[in-house]
């Protein structure tokens, strides 16, 4: 593991820690004269980035697009330059006044405090001179909390996306949209914009790179390491975990340096009008700085787009690292990483047990037995503990507020009067973590939500986050009103009671009438002149449209075959709804047998175990009830509800992460197209292929893209709205049919 030499300011321990921060009080609490952004730009110094941002936003609302683009981009580059300069000044001024520190131990009487002040002044003078030669006075002032929030949520990219779009620079617009979306993954409007950009001519894949990647590099490494573990590539996993630990320490070090060099305000009401003396003010400012540096743990451990930090980020990385090293055969490295982890949790039974295992495996390797923790981790823990002691002292004696960001803080560091509250808070946090572990379920379906939506006019109205689950999506605009009306008429004319359920007209509840229609039956009725041929073809094409959308959105790694397609209508039986407490369709899982009491789902018959992806395409909303809802595995805790409307498509993986049901239809008739897909070709829907064969026998063929061709005629029909491929579908003649597929939505 690389060592973080040259970053001694984070780890060096001084004899009198409070004195270490006095320079901040003397240097930065005085007003800065000569405030003015224009002077900075004229002199070549770094100006105030908040002024540039405000001016850029004003230009945006005035629709001065060129000016807005220039100022918004400049506000971000100026902010980066300011942070970089602060870091450089921090490094440059580390040695300043250090020759005075030995005097603190050697001087007698009360002269030592003058040497301490001398050291503080020299450090302060160095920082002031360093910043003054690069940054305008206004640029050195702290920005407002509103501005900090704007940049932390990447809102400048939100503005830039619109600006570049209006300038016709779609590549830059796509890049800004993507960078904003990374930190705002629930912003569905931006997600839909990104899908549009992906389909635009002139927009390359390079546009969809995070412009803020450099500040989030440790998360890229974290995910890469997890991927290597999943593929059992332990050597690569070790390499990535090492890099991840180093980058996390570097990002933390960077954040701490910003706390130290940036202007600091006195916390709370300890301002210029307060009654505190110089020592009280110095202590308050010092504690504020320490609190800022401790908060860097939370800042670095929070992913873009997440509200909460990942608890125990560094210990978690070390736990993964020692495990990967052991599996890669690097026992010496595993011992070093494990001893580093034990610095955080010295009495952890699992870690101690693993250390014993590693030691026994090493046998007579005395050098490996003597392996010590990583020095930079030891410094990090030692420094952090000393800071916590000072902060807790401030809480107990100086009325200072501090929130400890770490779970590993030992109880002996916490003051006695806070221990009861501390224990209670820690217990609540641990319970939340355990609950979170229960809630996060892995979906082994092989689908990964978040792919592109390849149909113009279709938008994502809800995704995994807003539907509170895994591999779920709600798409609007899949059908227009005319198409919905056409298929509703087809259902009224051709759907038969109990279809798919051995003609049981009420298979799920006696309070509703169930009717269904398959594509094959629609084709046969069309051949007999009972329904329009075009209506039957539309029913077929709707399925192709859904398959194309979901295959792309869920990023299916293999082909997606139809398992069953069913046009379904549920009608409330008049006069039989009073006091009704049942469901239109009970909670279930599509490919396994749900056992709510044990939270188990058994993938065995009579469940349709071959089903991998489920979908329902709604046709109407003129009824009462009939909402689709998702639950936890207990079949009671509702996690999301969907109210049907024409053209709304809901897709989700068919496994145990998505139990679902349908609320009672208490008035009217609810119609929808239910579809299931499989990745196994031998489980594909033979009825659908037979329907395609019947069309072919009549001189027509239906492409898998939903485009209908008339054989023997010149030209083709206009492309489907999705613009899908026109490849020929496979045909089936004279094969046995698979019947009796149930509706499950």
């Amino acid at each position: 593991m690389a060592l973080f030499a040259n970053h001694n300011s984070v780890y060096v321990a001084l004899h009198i820690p409070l004195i270490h921060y006095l320079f901040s009080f003397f240097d930065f609490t005085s007003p800065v004269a000569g405030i003015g952004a224009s002077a900075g730009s004229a002199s070549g110094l770094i100006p105030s980035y908040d002024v540039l941002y405000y001016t850029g936003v004003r230009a945006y609302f005035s629709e001065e697009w060129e000016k807005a683009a220039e100022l918004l981009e400049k506000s971000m580059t100026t902010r980066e330059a300011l942070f970089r300069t602060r870091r450089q000044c921090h490094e440059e001024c580390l040695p300043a006044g250090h020759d005075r520190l030995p005097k603190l131990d050697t001087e007698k009487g009360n002269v030592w405090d003058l040497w301490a002040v001398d050291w503080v002044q020299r450090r302060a003078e160095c920082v002031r001179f360093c910043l003054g030669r690069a940054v305008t006075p206004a640029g050195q002032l702290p920005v407002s909390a509103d501005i900090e929030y704007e940049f932390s949520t990447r809102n400048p990219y939100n503005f830039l996306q619109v600006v570049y779009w209006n300038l016709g620079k779609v590549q830059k617009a796509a890049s800004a949209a993507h960078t904003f979306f990374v930190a705002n993954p629930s912003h569905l409007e931006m997600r839909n914009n990104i899908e549009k950009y992906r389909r635009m001519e002139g927009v390359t894949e390079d546009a969809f790179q995070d412009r803020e990647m450099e500040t989030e590099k440790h998360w890229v490494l974290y995910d890469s390491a997890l991927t290597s573990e999943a593929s059992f590539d332990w050597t690569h996993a070790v390499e990535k975990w090492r890099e991840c630990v180093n980058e996390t320490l570097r990002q933390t070090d960077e954040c701490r340096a910003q706390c130290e060099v940036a202007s600091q305000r006195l916390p709370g009401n300890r301002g210029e009008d307060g009654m505190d003396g110089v020592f009280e003010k110095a202590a308050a400012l010092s504690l504020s700085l320490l609190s800022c540096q401790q908060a860097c743990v939370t800042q670095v451990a929070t992913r873009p787009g997440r509200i909460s930090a990942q608890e125990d980020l560094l210990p978690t990385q070390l736990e993964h690292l020692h495990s990967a090293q052991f599996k890669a055969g690097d026992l010496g490295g595993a011992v070093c990483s494990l001893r580093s982890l034990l610095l955080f949790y010295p009495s952890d039974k699992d870690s101690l047990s693993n250390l014993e295992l590693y030691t026994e495996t090493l046998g007579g390797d005395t050098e490996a037995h003597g392996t010590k923790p990583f020095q930079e981790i030891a410094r990090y823990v030692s420094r952090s503990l000393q800071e916590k002691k000072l902060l807790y002292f401030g809480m107990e004696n100086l009325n200072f507020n501090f929130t400890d960001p770490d779970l590993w803080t030992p109880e002996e560091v916490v003051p006695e009067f806070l221990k009861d509250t501390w224990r209670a808070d820690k217990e609540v946090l641990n319970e939340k973590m355990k609950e979170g572990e229960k809630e996060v379920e892995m979906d082994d379906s092989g689908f990964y939500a978040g792919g592109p939506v390849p149909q113009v006019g279709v938008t994502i109205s809800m995704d995994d986050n807003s539907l509170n689950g895994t591999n779920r999506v709600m798409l609007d605009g899949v059908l227009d009103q005319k198409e919905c009306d056409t298929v509703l008429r087809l259902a009224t004319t051709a759907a038969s009671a109990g279809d798919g359920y051995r003609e049981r007209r009420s298979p799920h509840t006696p309070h509703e009438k169930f009717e269904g229609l398959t594509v094959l039956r629609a084709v046969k009725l069309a051949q007999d002149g009972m329904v329009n041929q075009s209506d039957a073809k539309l029913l077929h094409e709707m399925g192709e449209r859904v398959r194309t959308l979901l295959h792309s959105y869920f990023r299916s790694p293999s082909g997606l075959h139809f398992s069953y397609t069913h046009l379904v209508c549920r009608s409330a039986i008049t006069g039989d709804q009073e006091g009704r407490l049942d469901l239109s369709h009970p909670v279930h899982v599509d490919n396994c047998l749900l056992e709510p009491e044990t939270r188990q789902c058994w993938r065995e018959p009579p469940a349709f175990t071959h089903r991998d992806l489920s979908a329902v395409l709604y046709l109407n909303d003129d009824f009462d009830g009939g909402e689709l809802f998702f639950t936890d595995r207990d079949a009671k805790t509702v996690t999301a509800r969907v109210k049907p409307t024409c053209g709304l498509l809901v897709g989700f993986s068919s496994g145990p992460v998505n139990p679902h049901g349908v609320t009672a239809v208490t008035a009217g008739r609810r119609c929808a197209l239910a579809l299931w897909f499989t990745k196994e070709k031998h489980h594909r829907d033979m009825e659908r292929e037979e329907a395609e064969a019947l069309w072919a026998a009549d001189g027509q063929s239906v492409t898998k893209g939903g485009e209908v061709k008339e054989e023997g005629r010149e030209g083709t029909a206009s492309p489907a709205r999705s613009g899908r491929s026109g490849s020929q579908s496979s045909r089936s003649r004279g094969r046995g049919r698979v019947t009796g597929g149930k509706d499950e939505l």
Side-chain angles (χ1 to χ4, degrees), residues 183-198:
N184 300 272
S186 60
H187 198 290
L188 294 180
E189 182 182 351
M190 191 63 75
R191 181 173 205 154
N192 289 326
N193 288 344
I194 290 172
E195 299 305 333
K196 293 174 185 176
Y197 286 129
R198 287 188 184 277

Side-chain angles (χ1 to χ4, degrees), residues 393-447:
F393 180 88
M395 290 183 70
E396 187 175 15
N397 300 288
L398 299 173
N399 198 30
F400 186 79
N401 293 321
F402 166 61
T403 302
D404 196 329
D406 294 307
L407 286 175
W408 59 266
T409 302
E411 189 170 337
E412 57 266 22
V413 173
V414 183
E416 198 63 40
F417 86 102
L418 286 174
K419 282 186 178 178
D420 289 342
T421 304
W422 180 82
R423 291 190 196 105
D425 290 344
K426 192 169 184 177
E427 188 62 32
V428 169
L429 188 55
N430 285 330
E431 287 300 318
K432 285 183 178 179
M433 290 180 69
K434 290 177 183 177
E435 192 64 29
E437 290 172 1
K438 292 179 185 176
E439 291 175 0
V440 176
E441 286 198 86
M442 296 299 294
D443 186 357
D444 60 0
S445 64
F447 298 115

Side-chain angles (χ1 to χ4, degrees), residues 275-500:
M275 300 300 293
D276 291 336
V278 64
F279 282 102
E280 288 89 344
K281 288 182 179 179
L285 184 59
S286 300
L287 290 171
S288 179
L289 179 55
L290 285 173
S291 180
C292 175
Q293 292 182 320
Q294 282 281 303
C296 288
V297 172
T298 302
Q299 180 176 323
V300 173
T302 305
R303 280 183 181 264
R306 302 284 178 86
I307 297 174
S308 302
Q310 179 172 326
E311 299 292 350
D312 272 348
L313 181 60
L314 260 179
T316 298
Q317 293 171 3
L318 290 169
E319 191 167 9
H320 279 280
L321 176 58
H322 83 73
S323 177
Q325 286 171 319
F326 178 73
K327 292 173 182 177
D330 181 10
L331 290 178
V335 170
C336 183
S337 300
L338 189 51
R339 290 191 190 278
S340 300
L341 176 60
L342 282 165
L343 293 176
F344 293 94
Y345 291 101
S347 59
D348 181 69
K349 293 180 180 179
D350 290 337
S351 296
L352 291 171
S353 176
N354 284 329
L355 183 60
E356 184 179 352
L357 170 66
Y358 295 170
T359 304
E360 290 175 357
T361 308
L362 284 167
D365 190 343
T366 55
E367 183 178 344
H369 278 295
T371 302
K372 294 183 178 181
F374 297 117
Q375 289 185 4
E376 64 273 22
I377 297 295
R379 293 193 199 102
Y380 175 91
V381 173
S382 175
R383 175 79 187 188
S384 184
L385 283 174
Q386 182 63 17
E387 290 175 351
K388 291 176 191 294
K389 290 176 182 178
L390 291 170
L391 285 161
Y392 279 120
F393 180 88
M395 290 183 70
E396 187 175 15
N397 300 288
L398 299 173
N399 198 30
F400 186 79
N401 293 321
F402 166 61
T403 302
D404 196 329
D406 294 307
L407 286 175
W408 59 266
T409 302
E411 189 170 337
E412 57 266 22
V413 173
V414 183
E416 198 63 40
F417 86 102
L418 286 174
K419 282 186 178 178
D420 289 342
T421 304
W422 180 82
R423 291 190 196 105
D425 290 344
K426 192 169 184 177
E427 188 62 32
V428 169
L429 188 55
N430 285 330
E431 287 300 318
K432 285 183 178 179
M433 290 180 69
K434 290 177 183 177
E435 192 64 29
E437 290 172 1
K438 292 179 185 176
E439 291 175 0
V440 176
E441 286 198 86
M442 296 299 294
D443 186 357
D444 60 0
S445 64
F447 298 115
Y448 301 94
V453 178
Q455 180 174 326
V456 177
V458 174
T459 58
I460 302 168
S461 55
M462 298 183 81
D463 60 5
D464 279 357
N465 288 331
S466 45
L467 286 169
N468 298 316
T470 302
N471 281 332
R472 300 174 183 175
V473 70
M474 197 163 82
L475 304 176
D476 273 326
V478 178
L479 298 175
D480 59 31
Q481 189 61 54
K482 183 178 179 182
E483 289 171 320
C484 288
D485 292 342
T486 298
V487 181
L488 285 170
R489 286 195 301 271
L490 177 64
T492 300
T493 303
S496 58
D499 184 72

Side-chain angles (χ1 to χ4, degrees), residues 212-225 240-241 243-252 296-304 310 313-314 317:
E212 300 283 332
M213 178 78 72
E214 191 60 32
T215 60
E216 311 296 343
K217 192 176 178 181
H218 58 303
W219 290 117
V220 177
L221 294 166
Y222 189 97
D223 293 338
S224 177
K240 291 303 174 185
W241 282 123
E243 292 178 17
C244 186
V245 170
N246 281 320
E247 182 61 21
T248 300
L249 287 170
R250 191 194 71 78
Q251 294 281 3
T252 305
C296 288
V297 172
T298 302
Q299 180 176 323
V300 173
T302 305
R303 280 183 181 264
Q310 179 172 326
L313 181 60
L314 260 179
Q317 293 171 3

Side-chain angles (χ1 to χ4, degrees), residues 29 99 135 163 201 236 270 356 432 495 540 597 620 733:
T29 54
D99 59 331
V135 186
V163 169
E201 187 176 350
H236 191 256
R270 298 175 180 270
E356 184 179 352
K432 285 183 178 179
H540 177 278
E597 294 78 12
N620 65 319
R733 298 180 189 270

